[in-house]
Amino acid sequence: LFEFLSAEVSCSFMARACLSFFGLWSSKKPQVVRCPPNEQALADLLGEHEVDTSSWGDGKAKPVASLLRELREGSCSLRIDQTKKLLRWVEPVFVQITYNGKVLVERMKVFPNGSQRVHATVLAEKKWRDDATTVDAAIRGMREELSVEISKETEGLVHSPLENICFVESMDSASYPGVPAIYDTTFMRFNIQPGSMAERAFRDCGLPACKPFETVEQKVE
């Protein structure tokens, strides 16, 4: 469930984002590791870097196969830092969509098992290997989550690069214990101009009346 809300939501969200900066990464980007060809090769790579996978697949920890799937689909990569530490590198992109002073917010998400999560957040996507830039990831995210036919060239869909907020943070991973997660995060804004092609593209997203609407996420295989 999505809805265009007061711009105050945007200010609050960005303030929380700025306050969440911790464990900032100060070095240059580590060397990318080629995706292993199979699960055993990945397990061997983890072993070479002294990662204990005995608890993987228990509790919140995901199995080795899940990490291999993420690597194959390009939603993360493995990298080695200057100390030879193995890292899982993820590039989240948070997309603030504005229209007439209001911000598009996801109010609730319903999962395939029927469970619900009530929240208030802007659209979020991960930059995948096939995304040339974070803007391409943002456009793909809008197309998949909102079912809108748009591109970077859509008239009236305005992105201001100077407003981007970018930072890198390091966190311990509950999903893959022993492999620190590095989040190379970008916050960006797209403004939909009234009367434009972009406004018409978002007509099923409550525009121009800013009515609440529901979507079914369409993942691109």
Side-chain angles (χ1 to χ4, degrees), residues 110-183:
V110 180
F111 296 92
N113 63 5
S115 63
Q116 300 180 358
R117 183 173 67 196
V118 178
H119 56 188
T121 183
V122 298
L123 186 147
E125 188 55 76
K126 290 180 182 178
K127 181 177 179 291
W128 285 28
R129 180 175 52 245
D130 293 338
D131 296 319
T133 67
T134 52
V135 172
D136 291 299
I139 294 294
R140 176 175 56 79
M142 285 187 272
R143 290 172 62 94
E144 291 179 359
E145 291 207 30
L146 303 177
S147 299
V148 291
E149 291 298 323
I150 57 169
S151 69
K152 290 187 290 186
E153 289 73 37
T154 298
E155 182 266 329
L157 185 63
V158 182
H159 168 236
S160 302
L162 293 178
E163 294 182 352
N164 287 2
I165 298 176
C166 305
F167 64 94
V168 182
E169 58 184 346
S170 174
M171 302 174 62
D172 292 331
S173 174
S175 298
Y176 305 108
V179 183
I182 309 300
Y183 293 95

Side-chain angles (χ1 to χ4, degrees), residues 182-195:
I182 309 300
Y183 293 95
D184 187 356
T185 303
T186 301
F187 292 86
M188 63 176 60
R189 182 170 75 92
F190 287 83
N191 183 56
I192 301 171
Q193 297 181 331

Side-chain angles (χ1 to χ4, degrees), residues 56-76:
W56 287 29
D58 296 331
K60 293 184 178 181
K62 297 179 180 180
V64 174
S66 292
L67 179 56
L68 181 62
R69 183 173 61 251
E70 292 182 18
L71 294 170
R72 285 176 170 172
E73 71 186 11
S75 62
C76 77

Side-chain angles (χ1 to χ4, degrees), residues 11-111:
C11 295
S12 174
F13 175 82
M14 297 305 288
R16 291 198 302 272
C18 291
L19 290 173
S20 71
F21 291 8
F22 61 92
L24 295 183
W25 190 267
S26 59
S27 306
K28 64 181 181 179
K29 288 187 178 181
Q31 176 185 355
V32 178
V33 177
R34 183 185 295 272
C35 177
N38 52 55
E39 188 174 333
Q40 184 57 55
L42 176 55
D44 292 342
L45 175 65
L46 294 167
E48 291 172 7
H49 288 272
E50 301 181 347
V51 176
D52 180 6
T53 61
S54 60
S55 66
W56 287 29
D58 296 331
K60 293 184 178 181
K62 297 179 180 180
V64 174
S66 292
L67 179 56
L68 181 62
R69 183 173 61 251
E70 292 182 18
L71 294 170
R72 285 176 170 172
E73 71 186 11
S75 62
C76 77
S77 63
L78 291 178
R79 305 194 182 196
I80 300 176
D81 67 10
Q82 295 175 336
T83 67
K84 305 302 180 182
K85 182 75 172 179
L86 189 65
L87 311 169
R88 174 171 162 266
W89 197 276
V90 186
E91 299 183 60
V93 180
F94 292 90
V95 186
Q96 184 188 77
I97 303 170
T98 59
Y99 174 81
N100 270 350
K102 294 188 176 183
V103 180
L104 182 62
V105 174
E106 184 179 49
R107 303 295 302 275
M108 183 176 66
K109 182 184 290 288
V110 180
F111 296 92

Side-chain angles (χ1 to χ4, degrees), residues 204-220:
D204 290 334
C205 298
L207 296 188
C210 294
K211 296 180 180 178
F213 64 96
E214 298 179 1
T215 68
V216 177
E217 183 173 358
Q218 303 295 324
K219 281 292 184 184
V220 177

